[in-house]
Amino acid sequence: VILPTGAGAAAGADRALEAALDQAGLTKEDIAATVTTGYGRSAIQLGDKSITEITCHARGAFFLDPSVRTIIDIGGQDSKVIRIDDQGNVVNFVMNDKCAAGTGRFLELMARTLELSMDEMSTAGLDWKEEITISSMCTVFAESEVVSLIAQNKRQADIIHGLNQSVASKTCALCRRIGGEPNYMMTGGVSKNKGVVEAIQKQLGVRLVISDRAQLNGALGAALFALELS
């Protein structure tokens, strides 16, 4: 289940659990073990164990495709690249967690500035004609650049392509820092953004493995750890 966290991580987790149980036709009494992960894990008291999102993403990705050696995860709050070995163990990782630039939040803000939904934003940059560079590394300044480009009557598709290229450049820089190697898997909500995926693939020169469960990858990893506890 994917839903907005809202004001509190614990309350959001409770709502998500209730919805997941309802979807599965189960009750809380049917649960043998629970593992919490992600930013809000320390605020959630119902878990039997708490495991970092790095470890859970590695476990989930390896389960989905054992050939994967580098995981690119771009979520709402951060972006990270994780290297795993042929057993699915974390070898190394690097995160961009100091700023929203290059994350899902960055794309949400830009979509709002351009008055587009996230679904529209996903494909709107594919029909680009002019190469536009968004030079600012800061979300606030990048938004100012976008407003300026709109005022210059630049095509919306070209602006969005520039934003996609900016996110891809930041992501590929993380890959280079960690010595990323094939096969690459992309997880997190931004894996649903076709423009960003295409830009990353072009800059890396590889095809990204993207599962239909990519956005639930961290939760899947946590569930696999919970299975070992049960």
Side-chain angles (χ1 to χ4, degrees):
V1 169
I2 298 167
L3 47 74
T5 303
D14 284 339
R15 293 198 314 276
L17 179 59
E18 290 291 347
L21 288 169
D22 184 59
Q23 188 174 293
L26 299 170
T27 67
K28 284 187 178 179
E29 288 67 40
D30 295 314
I31 297 175
T34 306
V35 167
T36 59
T37 190
Y39 277 92
R41 67 185 183 276
S42 58
I44 301 168
Q45 303 302 315
L46 58 83
D48 296 293
K49 192 172 184 180
S50 181
I51 300 176
T52 70
E53 62 265 33
I54 300 295
T55 305
C56 287
H57 270 277
R59 185 64 180 273
F62 191 74
F63 175 82
L64 291 172
D65 189 335
S67 73
V68 166
R69 294 293 173 268
T70 307
I71 304 154
I72 296 170
D73 176 66
I74 309 181
Q77 298 185 80
D78 68 22
S79 56
K80 49 188 169 281
V81 178
I82 307 163
R83 282 277 315 280
I84 60 175
D85 62 20
D86 58 3
Q87 300 299 309
N89 301 307
V90 177
V91 175
N92 201 357
F93 71 92
V94 63
M95 296 179 70
N96 168 35
D97 59 354
K98 298 286 186 279
C99 174
T103 68
R105 182 62 179 156
F106 172 82
L107 291 168
E108 279 182 3
L109 288 168
M110 298 307 154
R112 191 181 305 165
T113 302
L114 292 161
E115 299 180 345
L116 294 172
S117 69
M118 290 305 289
D119 285 341
E120 290 168 332
M121 184 85 167
S122 168
T123 57
L126 297 174
D127 183 31
W128 65 279
K129 289 183 171 60
E130 180 188 354
E131 191 79 64
I132 290 177
T133 301
I134 307 294
S135 57
S136 179
M137 297 293 285
C138 170
T139 302
V140 176
F141 293 139
E143 187 175 14
S144 296
E145 277 191 66
V146 168
V147 170
S148 176
L149 289 165
I150 293 169
Q152 294 170 41
N153 290 320
K154 294 293 184 181
R155 291 177 72 247
Q156 191 179 71
D158 296 336
I159 296 171
I160 294 167
H161 174 69
L163 291 167
N164 293 341
Q165 290 293 108
S166 176
V167 172
S169 295
K170 291 176 178 68
T171 303
C172 293
L174 293 178
C175 290
R176 286 191 293 274
R177 275 175 60 190
I178 206 170
E181 58 183 40
N183 287 336
Y184 287 81
M185 174 180 278
M186 187 168 173
T187 62
V190 179
S191 66
K192 297 169 70 118
N193 187 306
K194 294 177 183 176
V196 172
V197 169
E198 185 179 276
I200 292 173
Q201 289 184 150
K202 192 167 184 181
Q203 289 190 31
L204 282 180
V206 298
R207 191 87 182 154
L208 297 172
V209 177
I210 301 177
S211 166
D212 57 359
R213 288 173 284 183
Q215 203 169 356
L216 291 167
N217 185 59
L220 174 60
L224 289 166
F225 281 117
L227 185 61
E228 293 179 354
L229 297 175
S230 62

